[in-house]
Amino acid sequence: MDELDRRILAHLLKQARASFQEIGAVVGLSAPAVKRRVDKMVAGGQITGFTALVNPAALGWRTEAYVEVYYRDNISPAELRKSLEPIPQVVGIWTIAGEADALVHVMATDMAEIEVTVERIRENARVGRTRSSIVMSRLLERPRT
């Protein structure tokens, strides 16, 4: 990636719905040249997809938690994902260094749904314990550049 690619990517991160023509006007390229560069970044894996950012509250998700999951034995990242991905309230899963094996981001309508979701995570016989932290307010979320 060169500086032009980085500028195109930065613009896409700020305004993902911008047209190639709009991006080209900002970075000094024609729309077809921007499209070629975006296509190349997709093919090269620098851009892994396009998505919409949504307001969790608009979806009815007013409560969120980060759940540390401690497994009894070693668990592969693939197994971890396979066991947690089917739970719709699980919106993020990360393997982490430290005592816990995974950090799981849960979003739900209320505390009762958080509790049900944590119990569902614990249904896996390999889970030894969990520790939850409830999000009180979102103060800063930066786009990834």
Side-chain angles (χ1 to χ4, degrees):
M1 283 184 56
D2 63 14
E3 185 56 32
L4 275 174
D5 289 338
R6 284 182 179 76
R7 289 176 55 203
I8 291 168
L9 188 55
H11 195 78
L12 283 171
L13 286 168
K14 289 178 189 167
Q15 181 55 268
R17 294 188 68 188
S19 69
F20 295 134
Q21 183 174 358
E22 291 168 330
I23 296 168
V26 172
V27 301
L29 293 174
S30 68
V34 171
K35 181 184 182 325
R36 281 192 300 276
R37 284 176 173 264
V38 169
D39 290 346
K40 186 177 175 185
M41 286 187 276
V42 170
Q46 292 90 0
I47 296 175
T48 58
F50 298 87
T51 189
L53 298 175
V54 297
N55 176 353
L59 298 175
W61 289 350
R62 290 175 168 58
T63 308
E64 63 185 303
Y66 286 88
V67 182
E68 293 178 353
V69 184
Y70 301 77
Y71 287 86
R72 297 184 204 291
D73 305 317
N74 290 333
I75 187 165
S76 72
E79 288 177 86
L80 202 152
R81 181 177 180 155
K82 184 179 176 185
S83 70
L84 297 172
E85 191 172 26
I87 304 171
Q89 294 84 358
V90 171
V91 297
I93 307 166
W94 300 271
T95 57
I96 57 175
E99 290 184 40
D101 296 293
L103 183 64
V104 179
H105 187 191
V106 175
M107 297 190 79
T109 56
D110 55 25
M111 282 304 299
E113 190 176 5
I114 293 281
E115 183 176 14
V116 167
T117 303
V118 171
E119 289 304 319
R120 190 163 169 201
I121 291 169
R122 290 180 182 158
E123 286 175 358
N124 183 319
R126 295 182 65 194
V127 173
R129 67 184 175 102
T130 61
R131 186 172 86 175
S132 301
S133 296
I134 305 302
V135 174
M136 295 174 63
S137 60
R138 290 170 166 240
L139 301 178
L140 173 67
E141 291 182 69
R142 289 191 172 121
R144 294 180 182 120
T145 56

